[in-house]
Amino acid sequence: MNTDARITNLSQPLLIVDDDRATRMLLRGVLSRQGFEIIEAANGEQAVTLFNQYRPLLVLLDVMMPVMDGFTACAEMRLIDQNEGTPLIMLTGADDLKAIDKAFSVGATDFITKPINWTLLTQRVRYALRSGQLSREVRQSRLRQTSACRIAKLAFWEWRLTDDSLHWSDDLEAVLGVSAQSIGHVADFLAVVHSDDRARAQRLMNLARQSTGSIEMELRMHTGQQDRLVRFVGERGVQGGDHALMFGAFQDVTALRHTEALVDYLALHDELTDLPNRRLLLRQIGEMLPKINTENGDVLLVGWIDISRFHRHNEALGEALGDLLLTRLAQRLRRLIFDTDAVARTGGDEFAVMFRATNMTIALDRFESVLSHLRRPFHIAQNDTILTFTSGVALFPEHATNANQLLLLAQDAQRLAQSQARALLVATPNTPSNSRFTETLAVERALHTALERQEFFLVYQPQMDLRTGNIIGAESLLRWQHPTWGLIPPSRFIPLLESLGLISEVGQWVLEDACRQARRWEQLGLALRVGINLSPRQFLEPNLFNKIQHAVTSSNVNPAHIELEITESLAMQDPTSAIQLLKRLRDTGLKIALDDFGIGHSSLEYLLRFPIDAIKIDRAFVTNITHVQADRVIVRAVTAIGQTMGLSVIAEGVETLRQCDFIEALGVTEIQGYLIGKPMEPIQIEALIANFVRPGAETHSH
Ligand code: C2E
Ligand code: CA
Ligand code: CA
């Protein structure tokens, strides 16, 4: 992407350097007729100055000149040019072999003999420009690759199975901090592997050698002062025919795993009280269920606790002390609940607990006792605050058999208690959760006919380029308008479409409709890139390629205006075939974006392998960007890699100017979010573009 911009930049001139004014005029006359911009210098020193200033596409340069001769000037320009490979052509005397020799030795790319053969001149110049471009592209992509490797802390290894010798790429020292000689043999290598990991490493290596022919392992290694976590992947060299060789890559994932652990922690804990959140609680309940011995009559209790009229306390105390009150409550709960049990903050003023007991009565007694401890005063700001609660309880195996249902039942029981002004209710088989269940059935039935009844429609959410401040794209988002239930959000029905097997049909309609819309915008002269979400299930369909092709060709849209959004998890299911499919799609000119990036797997190495054009950073990272440093670190790492690989990086869910400032400072190129606009009808997109002023720009311009 970057290289293209550089190459096609025709505003860059050619530089002609000769002390003879007549030669310069002739050269300018011939070359400017070919459409080139020309600048001139009369000696070497001037040439170097102009070179520095204009970075010409090519230099034609005489040998003999006053002030500074051509050789010196050539050498200096080559130095300034560094890795760019700009063609420097010297004008030498026809039989002056020495001069020709010297020209090459100071970095010239070619020579043209004087007197100049004018008919050949333009050919030579064109040829030099083309080969200059080629070598520049090669060099750029190599540079990009090495810096991508450096950023990813990635390097390569080779293992000769015949003598167990190991060979490492030059980056070994930079990545691991050890020299190649010191681990030139498998035994040396195992010696620096952490003793707890050594046996596993050996087993996996033996396995790779004897049967599997491939290896994938993460090992702790002590090289230098501090332990590192290193990931190795590799394969036996079959393609080249060399069976006696394993080769592959390794990557220092210490920092990555560290941030992952941190992100995991943040994603599973409440920021204020540091208690587990609902997600973690669900996981903990799920892990506990199989351990309950129901035959003995053991039970698991899930209790939902809601503070009555918490907002009153919050107003009376002020927000800071209100937060303190919640923190104290959390501390008290934590002390009341043993280690093997769980407690979580499930909402602003809502908490949940889980514990096991040997029968139902004991469980309920214990829950009552927890509540009575919570009713004791909290001493805050010289005052005693007394809280009251409503709560609900669900029991396993009595009421439900999975974590999610248990928690929902407990929550429903609490809601029911609240509506009946009671302190505590235990779930019964007909608390509202059952109506939830029947509701789902009705929704499922309605979904079967929604498509033919034309109840689906697409809305579009605008995307802005931070570098230009222009709206450059829009993501299509599916909506369902039910005649009596009204508008239903995708989070409620897309999972159902998937489980009912209806997603491919509806997904196809989305593809066709979004392509038609993109085409309509093209015809209005709006070159908008339209994003289309592909669901994991859709991605598994065998003829997805043809279906996409059909949508694109029948709408007549320029494929470059369509961006398919895929998620990591989707691509990870079968990476090899995913890569193939994405390659084919991209070959037809379509764009590919990796959606919801950051919340899934450790995706760095996949990122390097997947043929994509853009990364969409998940809203979860943007939301906290202004105050969670770990999120900033991740966003920065993604943009750095995006930059070196020439990808655009889109941040989702940008709601405030302040988030936008952070995002922009971290190197993100595009944003999408309520700050620019909510998902809207196509006609509103057109109106938005017509009157668009970049948010924040109004205040600067006055
Ligand atoms: P997504 O692809 O991550 O889409 C972005 C979601 O974030 C949209 O929710 C959008 O309305 C919301 N959003 C955008 N900016 C902001 C913001 O500044 N703040 C907040 N709080 N939210 C923001 P929506 O439309 O409800 O879509 C939810 C999800 O449903 C999508 O997440 C996508 O995974 C799925 N989906 C939507 N349309 C389709 C579709 O046509 N096909 C498939 N397969 N999935 C779709
Ligand atoms: Ca999306
Ligand atoms: Ca997304």
Side-chain angles (χ1 to χ4, degrees):
M1 231 183 263
N2 299 334
T3 43
D4 284 357
R6 193 191 299 274
I7 289 162
T8 50
N9 189 352
L10 282 177
S11 64
Q12 272 175 289
L14 307 188
L15 172 59
I16 296 171
V17 192
D18 202 310
D19 57 333
D20 177 30
R21 193 150 168 266
T23 313
R24 291 204 311 264
M25 269 173 60
L26 279 169
L27 282 166
R28 173 190 281 279
V30 172
L31 291 171
S32 60
R33 203 162 315 143
Q34 303 288 322
F36 293 112
E37 281 280 325
I38 306 292
I39 50 174
E40 296 175 24
N43 62 55
E45 202 174 82
Q46 257 180 26
V48 173
T49 314
L50 287 176
F51 186 87
N52 217 344
Q53 192 175 348
Y54 289 94
R55 294 305 172 107
L57 279 178
L58 172 146
V59 183
L60 277 170
L61 134 122
D62 190 21
V63 174
M64 301 290 288
M65 288 178 295
V67 189
M68 184 194 281
D69 69 20
F71 297 125
T72 318
C74 183
E76 291 202 4
M77 287 189 272
R78 186 52 78 213
L79 215 63
I80 297 170
D81 196 43
Q82 294 246 353
N83 280 314
E84 296 296 326
T86 306
L88 305 175
I89 303 178
M90 299 213 68
L91 303 166
T92 60
D95 343 293
D96 196 349
L97 283 180
K98 248 183 156 165
I100 292 169
D101 238 25
K102 189 156 179 209
F104 283 118
S105 76
V106 294
T109 32
D110 198 2
F111 64 93
I112 290 177
T113 52
K114 275 185 168 181
I116 295 169
N117 176 337
W118 296 100
T119 37
L120 276 183
L121 174 77
T122 48
Q123 296 308 322
R124 288 289 276 279
V125 165
R126 288 202 175 281
Y127 175 76
L129 281 174
R130 211 173 44 236
S131 60
Q133 268 173 29
L134 275 176
S135 65
R136 189 152 42 203
E137 275 173 64
V138 169
R139 207 171 286 120
Q140 288 280 337
S141 86
R142 210 171 30 222
L143 271 176
R144 238 183 352 219
Q145 208 177 330
T146 34
S147 48
C149 284
R150 183 173 43 75
I151 291 172
K153 294 188 190 297
L154 197 69
F156 303 93
W157 54 264
E158 218 177 83
W159 168 23
R160 305 238 162 96
L161 300 173
T162 41
D163 61 357
D164 267 353
S165 64
L166 293 172
H167 306 263
W168 307 85
S169 64
D170 297 342
D171 340 46
L172 173 73
E173 192 127 22
V175 175
L176 279 192
V178 286
S179 70
Q181 299 96 295
S182 70
I183 43 176
H185 193 273
V186 170
D188 308 330
F189 169 73
L190 288 171
V192 289
V193 171
H194 192 289
S195 54
D196 291 350
D197 293 351
R198 204 171 290 146
R200 181 168 51 97
Q202 195 146 30
R203 198 176 63 237
L204 288 171
M205 288 174 82
N206 284 341
L207 215 59
R209 177 207 291 275
Q210 282 153 13
S211 57
T212 58
S214 74
I215 200 159
E216 189 167 344
M217 56 190 183
E218 266 182 38
L219 304 171
R220 282 165 296 172
M221 303 190 60
H222 33 237
T223 58
Q225 314 93 320
Q226 125 219 46
D227 275 10
R228 305 191 194 208
L229 192 61
V230 186
R231 180 178 165 77
F232 293 85
V233 288
E235 279 172 5
R236 189 179 282 233
V238 191
Q239 246 162 16
D242 197 348
H243 286 258
L245 194 74
M246 297 266 308
F247 64 89
F250 65 98
Q251 186 183 17
D252 179 352
V253 292
T254 318
L256 194 69
R257 292 288 177 268
H258 192 75
T259 6
E260 268 168 20
L262 198 62
V263 169
D264 264 2
Y265 186 85
L266 291 175
L268 294 174
H269 288 81
D270 165 49
E271 226 180 307
L272 175 67
T273 62
D274 213 28
L275 285 182
N277 61 16
R278 184 191 179 108
R279 267 171 65 199
L280 181 53
L281 177 70
L282 280 173
R283 198 186 284 179
Q284 290 167 327
I285 298 175
E287 281 164 7
M288 185 60 85
L289 288 178
K291 298 181 191 152
I292 308 284
N293 187 347
T294 48
E295 276 163 24
N296 277 354
D298 286 4
V299 297
L300 183 91
L301 177 145
V302 175
W304 188 280
I305 304 171
D306 178 272
I307 308 175
S308 309
R309 289 176 298 280
F310 178 71
H311 60 275
R312 291 264 198 84
H313 297 284
N314 215 17
E315 278 159 22
L317 291 166
E319 204 175 314
L321 291 180
D323 282 355
L324 183 63
L325 179 58
L326 291 172
T327 316
R328 290 276 177 77
L329 176 69
Q331 283 164 355
R332 202 177 280 182
L333 266 173
R334 215 195 303 252
R335 256 181 278 120
L336 292 166
I337 301 296
F338 308 129
D339 264 0
T340 50
D341 305 331
V343 51
R345 183 171 180 215
T346 45
D349 58 350
E350 292 173 318
F351 296 82
V353 296
M354 163 205 91
F355 53 80
R356 42 177 168 175
T358 44
N359 69 47
M360 194 165 146
T361 322
I362 294 175
L364 287 171
D365 281 351
R366 183 163 168 219
F367 187 63
E368 288 279 11
S369 121
V370 167
L371 289 174
S372 67
H373 276 92
L374 295 182
R375 286 192 209 101
R376 304 235 285 260
F378 289 90
H379 195 69
I380 281 179
Q382 273 89 50
N383 274 310
D384 279 347
T385 300
I386 296 176
L387 296 178
T388 52
F389 303 90
T390 52
S391 26
V393 159
L395 291 153
F396 168 83
E398 178 92 6
H399 300 119
T401 49
N402 78 50
N404 200 32
Q405 271 175 352
L406 278 167
L407 195 61
L408 284 176
L409 281 173
Q411 184 181 2
D412 284 340
Q414 181 271 320
R415 298 275 187 273
L416 202 61
Q418 194 168 29
S419 70
Q420 300 177 358
R422 295 164 68 171
L424 170 64
L425 268 185
V426 178
T428 60
N430 33 4
T431 40
S433 254
N434 279 319
S435 68
R436 233 178 249 218
F437 180 67
T438 36
E439 189 186 300
T440 311
L441 278 184
V443 172
E444 283 182 5
R445 232 172 288 129
L447 271 175
H448 278 285
T449 51
L451 193 58
E452 68 192 62
R453 293 187 183 163
Q454 303 187 344
E455 292 168 2
F456 290 120
F457 65 101
L458 291 177
V459 287
Y460 293 84
Q461 186 174 32
Q463 300 167 330
M464 185 188 84
D465 189 323
L466 282 167
R467 293 159 297 193
T468 61
N470 294 331
I471 304 288
I472 38 98
E475 176 180 0
S476 62
L477 292 160
L478 186 58
R479 294 292 178 263
W480 179 24
Q481 177 79 46
H482 186 271
T484 52
W485 302 328
L487 197 62
I488 300 165
S491 57
R492 291 246 349 252
F493 68 84
I494 286 181
L496 285 177
L497 284 178
E498 294 197 327
S499 62
L500 295 172
L502 292 171
I503 192 69
S504 58
E505 235 179 295
V506 178
Q508 186 62 23
W509 176 84
V510 169
L511 273 166
E512 310 262 346
D513 206 52
C515 285
R516 277 194 295 268
Q517 183 56 53
R519 174 65 188 153
R520 246 173 267 141
W521 277 328
E522 269 174 17
Q523 284 167 326
L524 289 176
L526 302 171
L528 279 181
R529 184 190 64 201
V530 171
I532 303 178
N533 290 288
L534 288 183
S535 102
R537 279 291 274 276
Q538 236 175 319
F539 205 70
L540 294 177
E541 279 172 39
N543 53 355
L544 179 65
F545 179 81
N546 294 338
K547 290 180 156 183
I548 295 174
Q549 273 309 96
H550 180 265
V552 171
T553 44
S554 68
S555 66
N556 215 9
V557 71
N558 177 353
H561 288 156
I562 299 299
E563 183 165 83
L564 302 171
E565 299 192 359
I566 61 159
T567 57
E568 262 178 273
S569 58
L570 179 156
M572 301 277 291
Q573 287 172 355
D574 182 359
T576 322
S577 71
I579 289 175
Q580 253 169 17
L581 174 61
L582 294 179
K583 277 211 182 98
R584 279 177 77 200
L585 290 168
R586 267 185 104 208
D587 286 344
T588 68
L590 292 162
K591 298 230 155 66
I592 310 286
L594 206 53
D595 204 358
D596 301 343
F597 186 81
I599 50 174
H601 309 71
S602 57
S603 356
L604 213 57
E605 51 189 288
Y606 286 93
L607 199 61
L608 292 167
R609 282 172 54 192
F610 271 80
I612 56 172
D613 303 275
I615 308 170
K616 298 191 79 176
I617 298 181
D618 192 71
R619 193 173 78 216
F621 292 96
V622 176
T623 309
N624 298 321
I625 199 87
T626 56
H627 54 277
V628 178
Q629 206 216 347
D631 288 2
R632 287 202 288 273
V633 171
I634 290 168
V635 171
R636 181 62 204 137
V638 174
T639 53
I641 287 179
Q643 267 161 11
T644 46
M645 296 179 63
L647 309 174
S648 27
V649 178
I650 309 178
E652 291 189 286
V654 178
E655 294 183 350
T656 66
L657 262 181
R658 193 158 161 71
Q659 287 169 344
C660 181
D661 288 342
F662 269 95
I663 284 289
E664 188 169 13
L666 292 171
V668 169
T669 49
E670 294 169 22
I671 60 170
Q672 176 182 341
Y674 295 170
L675 180 67
I676 306 302
K678 294 200 169 177
M680 52 183 95
E681 305 271 342
I683 192 161
Q684 294 173 299
I685 290 277
E686 288 149 33
L688 180 79
I689 293 175
N691 306 310
F692 188 68
V693 184
R694 179 189 182 131
E698 305 94 332
T699 45
H700 298 307
S701 59
H702 293 308

